[in-house]
Amino acid sequence: MVLSTERELQTAVAAARAAGRPVALVPTMGALHAGHLSLIQAAVAKAHENRPFVVVSVFVNPTQFAPGEDFQSYPRDPAGDHAAASAAGADVVFQPTVTEIYPLDRKLPTFPLPAVATRWEGELRPGHFAGVCQVVARLFQMSDADRAYFGEKDYQQLQVVRAMVRDSLHDAVRVIGCPTVREPDGLALSSRNRYLSADERRRATAISAALQWACGRVDADVCDAAILQSGVRTQLESAGMTVDYAAVVEAGTLEPLGRIGDVPARLLVAARLGTTRLIDNCALVAPTVRSQQDTAQ
Ligand code: PAF
């Protein structure tokens, strides 16, 4: 079922709730690929309770694009998205207009931006996370979701949404992060991959290869962040990319780390290949922590 207004969505959600079904939201900007479908499948496959009522929103949110970014050219395929989301188990595909999301006659709540939004994408894309928080909070409000699913591919976005929910929404929604889905050659799925030329697509695999290299170095007990960062940077530059950042960070706050140690760490990467900007990340686990985890299992 495709719905486009807040009223229609709220009527459908109320009926689902009356039938005892919890509400799960999968927010997307459409052009759905297997990464999105894995979120929908995760939302559907909830055991030990009534089947969730799964709402997939498809909305290319203008407020999270800076001037000069790809808002106009961002891929749009409403009919294909409806078919794909329904086949993956969505109950509702919510495809609102801009004025439905941002009604001119109503003041919508605003929230302070969490500190975790400051660095990395926050620095390079001013206004981006303010727009993401604005639309996600609005989608939460419209769908009355109990839980919401986000991909780890946009790792900072996931942490920003978690922080917003914790700090401003009283934990009203459970935010669930799902693993990145990759092409067989390692490239993380993204709607923006379709911008790549055949040659760029080949070279784009350098990102996941560099992340794997870094994990291998950490397994070999190379835990110095500077060594890992410069190794990743060199590999991406050798593949013809301009590196925005390659950063070893604490996994929750995204503050830079000097060494991989006891605290959970993440390697965040953003690089440009021609006119396409790609981001990716992976967990880094120190050998000492890994062996403790293995013993505990
Ligand atoms: O990750 C995305 O596709 C978007 O940033 C989101 C979360 C749907 C908000 O527009």
Side-chain angles (χ1 to χ4, degrees):
M1 167 168 53
V2 179
L3 302 177
S4 59
T5 69
E6 180 170 16
R7 187 180 289 260
E8 289 168 346
L9 181 61
Q10 286 178 342
T11 304
V13 165
R17 284 211 179 283
R21 298 175 68 183
V23 179
L25 173 70
V26 181
T28 82
M29 295 207 300
L32 300 184
H33 51 63
H36 298 112
L37 302 185
S38 75
L39 303 181
I40 301 171
Q41 284 150 3
V44 170
K46 192 74 186 113
H48 312 305
E49 61 179 41
N50 289 347
R51 188 185 173 288
F53 184 71
V54 177
V55 177
V56 176
S57 63
V58 173
F59 179 65
V60 185
N61 173 36
T63 69
Q64 69 188 75
F65 290 79
E69 288 189 349
D70 55 344
F71 172 66
Q72 295 299 344
S73 58
Y74 196 84
R76 288 163 172 87
D77 179 14
D81 290 341
H82 175 215
S86 303
D91 293 281
V92 163
V93 182
F94 183 52
Q95 299 184 327
T97 59
V98 173
T99 46
E100 197 66 29
I101 294 279
Y102 303 120
L104 300 171
D105 58 351
R106 245 164 80 190
K107 188 159 166 27
L108 298 174
T110 54
F111 307 105
L113 210 50
V116 70
T118 314
R119 292 179 191 266
W120 319 122
E121 292 304 288
E123 211 168 308
L124 287 150
R125 302 184 64 190
H128 171 66
F129 284 128
V132 169
C133 286
Q134 182 183 40
V135 77
V136 168
R138 177 77 177 121
L139 289 166
F140 286 173
Q141 179 191 48
M142 293 171 106
S143 63
D144 191 24
D146 298 296
R147 47 180 171 260
Y149 292 76
F150 295 84
E152 285 185 348
K153 149 93 173 30
D154 295 301
Y155 189 79
Q156 188 174 12
Q157 169 174 277
L158 173 62
Q159 300 310 317
V160 168
V161 171
R162 280 193 203 287
M164 175 186 73
V165 168
R166 185 192 61 223
D167 300 345
S168 303
L169 302 180
H170 314 291
D171 283 322
V173 183
R174 201 170 138 217
V175 176
I176 297 156
C178 297
T180 302
V181 177
R182 297 179 181 279
E183 298 281 6
D185 65 6
L187 180 67
L189 294 191
S190 162
S191 304
R192 291 187 169 102
N193 289 350
R194 63 184 75 188
Y195 299 157
L196 298 168
S197 69
D199 175 53
E200 288 167 347
R201 171 65 188 78
R202 267 190 299 278
R203 286 188 285 134
T205 56
I207 298 184
S208 54
L211 295 179
Q212 267 186 10
W213 169 85
C215 290
R217 296 313 296 145
V218 175
D219 283 347
D221 216 7
V222 178
C223 291
D224 185 311
I227 295 175
L228 298 168
Q229 288 163 182
S230 84
V232 168
R233 192 172 270 276
T234 305
Q235 290 173 51
L236 301 188
E237 286 172 354
S238 304
M241 296 185 203
T242 307
V243 180
D244 282 342
Y245 55 79
V248 174
V249 300
E250 200 276 318
T253 61
L254 308 193
E255 289 298 312
L257 282 178
R259 285 190 68 74
I260 314 295
D262 292 344
V263 297
R266 207 90 194 173
L267 173 56
L268 306 180
V269 169
R272 282 168 284 136
L273 190 50
T275 54
T276 308
R277 192 160 179 280
L278 299 169
I279 62 173
D280 204 344
N281 69 87
C282 65
L284 294 176
V285 186
T288 44
V289 175
R290 195 182 292 282
S291 62
Q292 281 161 16
Q293 286 173 347
D294 291 346
T295 316
Q297 276 167 9

